[in-house]
Amino acid sequence: MDPCDPPLYTVGIVLDIGVAWRPGFFARSLTGFGVTYLYHLVDLDPATELIAVPGVWFEEELLHLGFTSLCFHTDAMVLFDPFGLAWFEAGASYLYPDPEAELGVRLRILGTFALDWAKLTLGVRVAPVAVRLVTAFNLVGFVSQEVWVEVSFSWVRIYSRTRFDFSGLIQAIVGIELMF
C-alpha cells in the first residue's frame, strides 16, 4: 500500500435491544452491522469472538426469547443472515436451588431444517466452585464433550473451558476475571 492511499478499515456495530422480567419472560434482539457471530454475546462462553467483516452493512440478526423461573429456564434463538434463516435453537433446563444444580437439553436446527446438534448439560455449583459438563450429539452419535470449571472468590473469577472429541483436544480456554 502506498503512503498516499487511504487506509483500509472496518467498522462494526451491534444494536442490542431487549426487555426482561426476572423471574418471567425476556426478549432480546441483536443486530450486527459489519460483524458476525452474534451468538457469542448470549452464550455462556467467557470468550466473546465477534468477527468484523469489510464494510458496514447488515450481517446478522439474532432473536432470543424465553422464560425464567426459580427452578426452570426455557429459551429459543433464531439467527438470520443476509441469505435468510441460518439456524434455530431451543433449550430447556431444570434448576435445583441448593446446592445449585442444572440439568438441561438444547438442540439446533439448521436453515435447511436438518439437525445440527443436540446437547445435554449437567452443572453443579457449590460455592465457590462450579462445574458444567456439556455433551453434544448429532444423528450419527457423539460429537464433542465440554468441561467448564469456575472458581469465584472475592472479586476474582478463574475459569477454564475444555472441549474435546474422539480425535482429542479441540479447544482450551483459561482466564481470570477481576470484578470491581
Side-chain angles (χ1 to χ4, degrees):
M1 188 162 110
D2 293 331
C4 295
D5 287 343
L8 298 174
Y9 59 91
T10 300
V11 176
I13 298 171
V14 176
L15 179 62
D16 185 351
I17 300 172
V19 62
W21 294 273
R22 304 271 184 195
F25 291 97
F26 64 91
R28 187 174 181 192
S29 169
L30 292 123
T31 306
F33 297 96
V35 295
T36 60
Y37 296 101
L38 296 178
Y39 177 70
H40 291 290
L41 294 175
V42 297
D43 67 356
L44 295 175
D45 189 351
T48 303
E49 301 169 357
L50 288 178
I51 296 179
V53 294
V56 179
W57 61 82
F58 166 76
E59 288 298 325
E60 290 182 347
E61 171 71 27
L62 179 71
L63 301 174
H64 187 201
L65 307 167
F67 177 80
T68 300
S69 71
L70 296 176
C71 63
F72 189 71
H73 175 85
T74 183
D75 70 327
M77 286 185 262
V78 181
L79 182 73
F80 296 97
D81 61 15
F83 305 108
L85 177 66
W87 51 258
F88 167 78
E89 187 176 310
S93 296
Y94 174 74
L95 309 166
Y96 185 78
D98 192 23
E100 190 176 317
E102 174 190 8
L103 178 61
V105 294
R106 295 196 74 72
L107 67 103
R108 181 179 286 180
I109 306 294
L110 297 175
T112 59
F113 298 104
L115 176 70
D116 188 17
W117 48 252
K119 292 184 178 179
L120 178 62
T121 303
L122 176 61
V124 176
R125 177 183 301 273
V126 178
V129 178
V131 176
R132 190 167 201 237
L133 305 172
V134 181
T135 307
F137 303 93
N138 63 14
L139 293 175
V140 177
F142 174 79
V143 174
S144 66
Q145 176 73 47
E146 297 177 25
V147 179
W148 302 18
V149 179
E150 176 183 307
V151 178
S152 299
F153 55 93
S154 298
W155 299 310
V156 178
R157 181 176 149 231
I158 302 169
Y159 59 86
S160 73
R161 179 179 177 185
T162 307
R163 189 168 60 140
F164 56 90
D165 63 7
F166 283 126
S167 64
L169 182 66
I170 298 172
Q171 180 183 44
I173 297 173
V174 177
I176 297 175
E177 182 178 308
L178 301 174
M179 298 169 277
F180 298 100

